[in-house]
Amino acid sequence: MQVAAKIHHRFGHVALPNYIISKTDAVSDLLEVALMLQQVGLLGSCHELHLNIIPLFETIADLRICGVIMNELFSIPFYRELLKSRGDTQEVMLVIPTATKMAVTLLPIGNYIRLNSSWLRCLKTMALNCDFSTAVAAQWRGGGPSYEAILAQPPGSVNAQIRITEQGEVIASKYSDPEIGRRNLEILIAATIEATLLHNHSDSS
């Protein structure tokens, strides 16, 4: 964390905007990071947070309880004050395990979608925004096409923006050729627009 403080001091806050917590499974994981940021001067005296604290939920067990964890976190006045300095926006990273990594059935994925749909409704009542990051696995690793993966996100989670993590081995195949890279970016943009419009239409209906 001291290195992060040095980077901010030398290059500015935009040089290192995010702190990702791998395998988040408790509210304390995020509060501990807030404490460390305070100790190195990246959390101001007026609850001004200089880094986004981003939980990463990546196992079936964690995906099942991530809504509970975040709802509990948002109920803490201290953390809500921190979010105000970040535009009342919380970024969350979700990784749906692929079939090649572990035995995945439709049941936990369905639970994940239902839990996060109810969680998103709760966010609206709290006047909070949530940015989702999604890891898109390659098809040969048990994942599906990026377009379908984005459309399959819980309603309301894609709101004109989404952060995509491409697995390392697919970067060369998708983006080494300019024309193929442009085509892949067009697919991601089109899926994001379609998911946003579909979900907003569903809400208005």
Side-chain angles (χ1 to χ4, degrees):
M1 200 64 78
Q2 292 178 344
V3 174
K6 290 179 180 178
I7 292 174
H8 275 232
H9 179 72
R10 183 171 181 179
F11 302 107
H13 300 324
V14 295
L16 185 63
N18 301 319
Y19 188 97
I20 300 171
I21 307 170
S22 180
K23 204 179 180 306
T24 303
D25 60 10
V27 171
S28 59
D29 293 336
L30 290 93
L31 297 180
E32 287 168 1
V33 171
L35 177 60
M36 289 189 290
L37 291 174
Q38 185 180 49
Q39 292 175 337
V40 297
L42 294 179
L43 198 168
S45 57
C46 296
H47 293 167
E48 183 181 2
L49 191 62
H50 299 311
L51 273 175
N52 294 313
I53 302 176
I54 303 175
L56 169 57
F57 300 101
E58 50 189 324
T59 69
I60 292 178
D62 295 339
L63 289 170
R64 282 173 169 161
I65 64 171
C66 63
V68 175
I69 291 173
M70 297 308 295
N71 283 331
E72 183 180 344
L73 181 70
F74 294 149
S75 69
I76 300 174
F78 168 74
Y79 194 80
R80 287 295 300 273
E81 286 296 318
L82 297 185
L83 285 184
K84 285 183 180 179
S85 68
R86 310 302 294 180
D88 274 332
T89 299
Q90 173 71 57
E91 183 171 343
V92 178
M93 293 189 71
L94 304 175
V95 178
I96 300 179
T98 58
T100 55
K101 289 183 179 179
M102 60 179 67
V104 177
T105 66
L106 292 178
L107 179 59
I109 301 304
N111 288 341
Y112 148 76
I113 292 175
R114 286 193 295 273
L115 278 170
N116 285 286
S117 296
S118 62
W119 171 29
L120 285 164
R121 288 194 295 271
C122 182
L123 285 176
K124 290 182 179 179
T125 65
M126 295 181 178
L128 289 171
N129 302 311
C130 189
D131 292 341
F132 281 85
S133 297
T134 301
V136 180
Q139 285 179 268
W140 58 82
R141 296 186 61 195
S146 300
Y147 194 94
E148 283 80 0
I150 293 175
L151 292 183
Q153 296 303 303
S157 62
V158 181
N159 189 17
Q161 61 182 0
I162 187 171
R163 189 192 300 270
I164 300 294
T165 300
E166 295 277 18
Q167 300 293 340
E169 68 270 22
V170 306
I171 293 177
S173 63
K174 282 189 173 183
Y175 303 106
S176 58
D177 179 88
E179 188 60 34
I180 295 176
R182 189 178 301 110
R183 175 60 177 161
N184 277 291
L185 289 175
E186 288 175 352
I187 289 173
L188 296 176
I189 293 171
T192 302
I193 293 173
E194 183 174 350
T196 300
L197 292 176
L198 286 174
H199 296 162
N200 286 343
H201 177 72
S202 299
D203 290 343
S204 62
S205 299

